[in-house]
Amino acid sequence: MLQYVLIWCFLVLMTAQSDAPEFLLTPLIRNVTEGDNVTLECPARGNPAPAISWHTNNDTLSTTENQTTLLIIGVSQSKNYSCTATNRNGTILQTFNVNVKKTSTSTTTTATFMNQPTACPLEFIPKRVVERHGASVSVICRPTTTSAEPDIIGWEAPIGLWNLNMPDNKSATWNVEKFEDWTFEPVCFGTFSDQQCSVTLPITLYKTPDTVSISVQNHSGPLQEGRRYTLQCDVFNVAPLAALTVSWLWKGEIIQTHTYDDHLTKTPENVSSTWEITAFRNYSNEVITCLTILDPKQGGPSQQVNTSAVFKVIVHYAPKFTDEYDSVEVVTGGNVSFGCSAEGNPPPEVKCNYPVAINARATTRGRQHTVSITRATSANGGIYNCVATNEVGTATWQTTLTITPLDHTTGVNYYLILVVILVIIIIMILCYYFCTKKHGRYSLISARNNDVPLHNL
């Protein structure tokens, strides 16, 4: 039985989780006055539990084994203190900066110097950070000239990590793998022979809009002709607003632009831009687009462009008849047809009311309504009405059909003229015939007697 217990214990030990050391606190820069006491804390975890040791200027400090707290009595000068955590899975190091402020007359000079950040001989590479939210950031802080050599240089940055990376600790690099703090601005400080100063790194995080959309305020569906509407472009979750421009595009051209220079907030916000239009029927099927430009570098390569979905303008308007005439006239027995057509959006329904007759027939082709009458009689005379209707309104049109009786006297005169013309044509033919006979046609006949006279044929 004991054998099985030992085997089980061995397996548990073999499968126990093993973790590398990890610090539980981020090292902070300690600005103290000369002669003060300073306490530094360096808690760490790991499996197995890591061993803690303290160092300064490459010298190991004499402390109790695994002491996570270091007490410095009466500090006299600025120094870097390092804490090391070690177990069988690895070793990690973090550095504490103790920045000592002298109590001599240089205090007044230092205060004045710190109130003038432009005079601080420190610079950043790059000089300004403009990155997308969540991107990695790496910045070097170094003296502006070789003559301004600091005794100590470091960062006041509770997020990210920084380290010294130049000989004699003359510059410090700050790194963040995923920068997501909208308002944080890290500070680089330097301590020189008789003064200290600091400079703040300008950081701009930007975020492109989640969505850009166009809607009509207090309205849904198609627009109605003649009414005035307010279009609204909504831009959701964008930052910073001071770098945002919203433009309205109509027929591919910018017709209105909205900027947000007066917005100083850095965190993402929702904003809107509006544009008023009056709906006309010729606007139907035109498209409107909302364009956003986010330019955090003010003309740099980070300019981001987003467009909304296309907003298609649909304008509804009441029907209107395209062909209108007040009256139509036809003689009895004649044929006549007339039509009525109307335009509108949506396409209107056209109906006609007219005297019912056996010789009247109505046909509809599209929006064209036609009434045809063959061999018109007096029964076809009267008023013909057409009505065009859609959801916007109704239009009416009417015409009067007049049937004119046939004038028999006029008909007799027509026949008399026709007879006279026929008589004239006959007379002309007879005259031509007789004139031809009068002149005659002759032929020579041989005769034995030379006295035989010529005869008419």
Side-chain angles (χ1 to χ4, degrees), residues 325-400:
Y325 32 89
D326 296 331
S327 62
V328 178
E329 185 175 346
V330 65
V331 296
T332 302
N335 299 332
V336 65
S337 64
F338 53 89
C340 56
S341 62
E343 64 175 13
N345 193 19
E349 180 183 5
V350 180
K351 294 182 179 180
C352 287
N353 300 316
Y354 53 90
V356 179
I358 193 173
N359 60 339
R361 183 170 62 93
T363 58
T364 301
R365 179 175 296 176
R367 289 173 292 178
Q368 177 74 31
H369 200 86
T370 303
V371 178
S372 301
I373 299 173
T374 57
R375 298 179 183 179
T377 67
S378 59
N380 299 121
I383 297 176
Y384 289 70
N385 291 308
C386 284
V387 179
T389 304
N390 65 10
E391 63 184 38
V392 182
T394 300
T396 59
W397 167 74
Q398 70 176 24
T399 187
T400 301

Side-chain angles (χ1 to χ4, degrees), residues 162-241:
W162 68 272
N163 59 358
L164 303 174
N165 66 348
M166 282 186 66
D168 300 325
N169 298 336
K170 293 303 185 291
S171 75
T173 301
W174 176 65
N175 296 284
V176 180
E177 291 185 2
K178 193 175 183 181
F179 195 17
E180 297 179 317
D181 192 321
W182 291 99
T183 58
F184 174 68
E185 292 182 337
V187 175
C188 177
F189 70 89
T191 300
F192 300 87
S193 58
D194 58 351
Q195 59 188 357
Q196 64 180 6
C197 66
S198 62
V199 289
T200 301
L201 174 66
I203 292 182
T204 300
L205 293 184
Y206 66 88
K207 181 186 178 303
T208 57
D210 289 343
T211 57
V212 182
S213 61
I214 299 178
S215 60
V216 184
Q217 287 186 359
N218 305 318
H219 181 80
S220 60
L223 312 183
Q224 290 194 15
E225 184 180 30
R227 293 188 180 182
R228 193 162 184 82
Y229 296 91
T230 299
L231 303 183
Q232 180 170 307
C233 176
D234 293 309
V235 185
F236 295 96
N237 206 23
V238 61
L241 292 184

